[in-house]
Amino acid sequence: MLHAEGPLLTVDVGARTATETTIDGVLEDYVGGRAAATALAHDRIPFDADPVGPENRAYLATGPLQQSQMSFTGRMNMTGLSPLTDGLVSTNAGGYLSRNFVGTGISVLEVAGASDELLAVHVTDEGVEFEEVPELKGATVPEVSDYMDAQHGLGPDNCIAIGPAGENRVRFASVMTFDSRAFGRGGLGAVLGSKNVKCVTFDGDAAPPVEIPNPPEMEIHREAAQSDDRMRRQGTTGGTEFINDNFSLPTRYFQDYGFEHAADIGGDAVEEKKYKKGACSACAYACKLPTRDEESGVETEGPEFETVYAFGSSQGVGDIVDVMRANELCDSLGMDTISAGVTVAAYLASEDKFGNAELAQEVTEKIAYREGIGDTLAEGVDRVHDDLGVDNYTVKGMEFAAHDGRVLHGQGLSYAVANRGADHMYAGMLSLEYSGELDPEGTLGKAETLVREENSAAFRDTGIVCAFGSDYVTEERLEALFDADHEDLLEIGAKTVRLERHFNNRRGFDGGDDGLPYEIPDLEDAIAEYYAARGLNDDGTVPEADIEPVAPPAGSVGD
Ligand code: SF4
């Protein structure tokens, strides 16, 4: 089976050491990306680690396809113990980092320890350098990029960076690359912040020789370039009105099921502000959305649909320029737009101030700097909903993505059991239910499908293939690309989900953590069906006999 190649590079920012460890066995068994990072995290982060303690580790991992010129592969995976959910999370970002990362010759970067001083870490094919950067304390993400350009001639495509939110350990701080692309969900920005790592740069020409089968690669590229999908013009916002018409666009902090101003913040509104094409590296599909409002001078990349929901309908804000401004603010300060937007919506609910975009932006900024009410909200809805006097719309501490589980019941089941919490990218149930392939009504009988969707998403995060490319990078083409049967690829995904859940079990998670803050039909029985389909114990835990250590334990080799 095709897999990533290259060693694990462990950077201990406390000891200022960099060591390489051969992980060929891990890569053969887990391919790369999310699966390999999860295997390493499972075996090398102590089960009782503090998410913002030096014992937590953050993993940035590539898959084998990042060496190709194939569309839908300009992405990277990041994994670690989440300050938001307290369990393992993996998150996926596009941009132009992946090729520069591969050029350093490594397959996985592991950031360990904690530094006394604010650091930039420079990774090249010739080694690692640590640079103290006290002048970047409190810098926004674009300010970090400007510094790296001026001092080192490196662009935002060479960097991952955190903003003030990460430094201030906001529980939903993101790690940014290319200034506008976020490793968003789960607060891994706070993990880098706790390690005093402001940015990591990647530069080199040492791509290891992995052969990618050419015909599917070229066909996929050609089809992506010739596609007339609406998504190529409007990105993920193209579905806003359809989703609203399906009563799946939560509005005013879940008080309503649809937004009367959906058209004002949806795909057409965004396309009107789009001033050029945007893409990830090597991707001819180019679905990204550089937007600009001439009158106000607001310029950003996006907003994507989830930001339209979080800073639009969820807050009762119906002006696309306000949503663009909030998007830019979150990118610049380094925060996940979904968690930030929904947390601010909870605040607006508590103050009865829906629709007040100016207040929303003021509070968003305060969160990043932990000023006043921002210090409370930086903890996320799960921890502060009682203080605010609002309902707790989270699962496992993670704020909900848009696609409403109260309407799409299979998607609701997915939110209920996902190891990561209420994230829409964990399984593709929403697509099946929107398309009618699966009846949105009811939860029973959907567990087998959910398991398969989770496994499929986990493998695509491993390869790594963009979630928006599934019509082009089909199951048959994945088989050709990876030289493997599709069922074997799904098994890699299954192993990944199992390791995530086992890690979380060892931190105290069990079936009591699977559920929803609202009622949908037969949820308890559907969760039991899921446990059976997943091969779990009745209490939602992973049988210990199913777990074997695969990664070199921390401290054994090269640490
Ligand atoms: S489809 Fe869009 S998000 Fe995915 S890799 Fe291509 S440009 Fe990036």
Side-chain angles (χ1 to χ4, degrees):
M1 188 184 298
L2 187 73
H3 58 76
E5 291 190 9
L8 164 71
L9 175 67
T10 301
V11 172
D12 185 325
V13 294
R16 308 261 173 109
T17 57
T19 47
E20 290 190 356
T21 306
T22 301
I23 53 165
D24 293 351
V26 176
L27 296 174
E28 280 160 22
D29 287 352
Y30 287 87
V31 174
R34 175 174 157 196
T38 300
L40 292 164
H42 179 277
D43 289 3
R44 292 167 69 90
I45 300 174
F47 292 130
D48 61 355
D50 176 352
V52 290
E55 63 275 23
N56 193 4
R57 291 164 183 248
Y59 296 87
L60 189 63
T62 183
L65 296 181
Q66 279 56 57
Q67 295 170 57
S68 74
Q69 288 305 308
M70 194 179 106
S71 288
F72 307 107
T73 62
R75 302 194 71 87
M76 292 284 297
N77 172 82
M78 198 160 186
T79 294
L81 173 57
S82 163
L84 188 68
T85 70
D86 205 43
L88 272 191
V89 293
S90 289
T91 167
N92 191 290
Y96 293 81
L97 177 72
S98 56
R99 270 68 188 177
N100 288 322
F101 181 95
V102 166
T104 66
I106 63 173
S107 59
V108 184
L109 172 77
E110 176 183 59
V111 184
S115 168
D116 291 338
E117 303 291 337
L118 194 63
L119 283 184
V121 181
H122 301 289
V123 180
T124 72
D125 47 353
E126 292 177 354
V128 175
E129 282 184 21
F130 298 91
E131 178 191 7
E132 293 186 3
V133 287
E135 58 272 55
L136 289 181
K137 186 167 171 45
T140 63
V141 172
E143 286 167 353
V144 177
S145 295
D146 288 348
Y147 176 93
M148 288 303 144
D149 182 22
Q151 299 296 320
H152 301 285
L154 295 170
D157 48 336
N158 293 97
C159 298
I160 57 170
I162 61 168
E167 283 185 67
N168 293 324
R169 304 185 187 188
V170 173
R171 286 188 189 270
F172 42 83
S174 55
V175 175
M176 302 299 297
T177 179
F178 197 59
D179 286 346
S180 56
R181 313 297 173 86
F183 296 95
R185 307 237 66 190
L188 295 183
V191 175
L192 287 194
S194 71
K195 297 182 179 307
N196 248 336
V197 174
K198 188 70 179 173
C199 77
V200 186
T201 69
F202 302 89
D203 195 21
D205 299 309
V210 175
E211 296 257 322
I212 311 289
N214 235 341
E217 181 185 338
M218 293 317 297
E219 280 171 41
I220 289 165
H221 205 62
R222 194 176 315 115
E223 289 172 19
Q226 292 169 354
S227 163
D228 61 359
D229 290 353
R230 186 180 187 178
M231 190 163 173
R232 295 196 68 203
R233 293 185 285 113
Q234 302 187 346
T236 48
T237 63
T240 307
E241 286 166 85
F242 169 81
I243 292 164
N244 193 49
D245 291 346
N246 276 274
F247 308 106
S248 301
L249 184 65
T251 296
R252 288 176 280 272
Y253 194 63
F254 303 94
Q255 291 178 12
D256 299 306
Y257 289 76
F259 191 36
E260 61 279 13
H261 296 298
D264 298 328
I265 55 175
D268 290 343
V270 171
E271 190 179 359
E272 211 173 285
K273 303 293 182 192
K274 187 174 169 182
Y275 65 94
K276 64 174 181 178
K277 274 184 178 296
C280 303
S281 62
C283 189
Y285 197 69
C287 76
K288 305 314 290 182
L289 301 164
T291 54
R292 185 160 59 204
D293 178 60
E294 301 293 348
E295 200 181 322
S296 63
V298 175
E299 193 170 316
T300 188
E301 188 177 70
E304 294 293 346
F305 166 69
E306 289 294 339
T307 312
V308 161
Y309 142 73
F311 276 94
S313 67
S314 196
Q315 298 181 2
V317 169
D319 183 333
I320 189 60
V321 179
D322 286 329
V323 180
M324 286 166 60
R325 201 178 273 118
N327 186 67
E328 186 55 19
L329 201 54
C330 285
D331 286 355
S332 171
L333 299 172
M335 289 192 287
D336 174 35
T337 59
I338 301 177
S339 285
V342 173
T343 302
V344 171
Y347 172 74
L348 296 180
S350 75
E351 296 287 307
D352 198 15
K353 292 274 175 61
F354 286 124
N356 189 334
E358 205 176 314
L359 176 63
Q361 278 153 34
E362 194 185 303
V363 169
T364 302
E365 197 154 355
K366 282 184 174 168
I367 292 174
Y369 294 101
R370 283 190 176 268
E371 285 173 1
I373 185 67
D375 191 35
T376 302
L377 299 177
E379 296 295 298
V381 168
D382 185 38
R383 290 170 174 83
V384 304
H385 67 279
D386 278 342
D387 295 346
L388 297 178
V390 298
D391 290 337
N392 181 9
Y393 281 103
T394 64
V395 177
K396 300 185 179 78
M398 182 173 278
E399 290 77 12
F400 276 91
H403 314 279
D404 202 327
R406 296 173 296 182
V407 175
L408 309 170
H409 294 156
Q411 183 58 39
L413 175 63
S414 171
Y415 290 141
V417 298
N419 296 328
R420 196 188 295 162
D423 180 46
H424 61 302
M425 301 304 285
Y426 203 79
M429 297 299 275
L430 60 101
S431 306
L432 299 177
E433 296 189 322
Y434 281 135
S435 69
E437 214 173 307
L438 207 59
D439 184 353
E441 188 64 34
T443 55
L444 293 177
K446 292 182 176 176
E448 297 274 353
T449 306
L450 175 55
V451 166
R452 199 172 169 85
E453 288 295 317
E454 286 183 340
N455 294 348
S456 173
F459 181 74
R460 284 174 187 268
D461 291 347
T462 292
I464 302 168
V465 185
C466 180
F468 305 140
S470 54
D471 287 348
Y472 303 87
V473 191
T474 58
E475 290 180 7
E476 294 71 31
R477 285 171 169 178
L478 279 177
E479 288 185 327
L481 285 161
F482 283 86
D483 190 21
D485 189 271
H486 192 249
E487 292 304 315
D488 293 335
L489 303 182
L490 292 181
E491 181 50 30
I492 305 277
K495 289 197 295 188
T496 307
V497 173
R498 191 156 57 228
L499 284 178
E500 284 171 354
R501 184 167 275 262
H502 181 258
F503 186 96
N504 291 357
N505 294 157
R506 294 296 295 268
R507 287 183 69 75
F509 285 78
D510 60 19
D513 297 289
D514 294 327
L516 293 170
Y518 46 74
E519 287 186 14
I520 59 175
D522 306 307
L523 181 62
E524 207 175 310
D525 290 342
I527 289 175
E529 286 184 352
Y530 173 82
Y531 292 165
R534 235 325 136 218
L536 302 175
N537 297 319
D538 291 346
D539 67 352
T541 59
V542 177
E544 283 296 328
D546 290 356
I547 299 296
E548 281 176 21
V550 286
S556 66
V557 191
D559 282 3

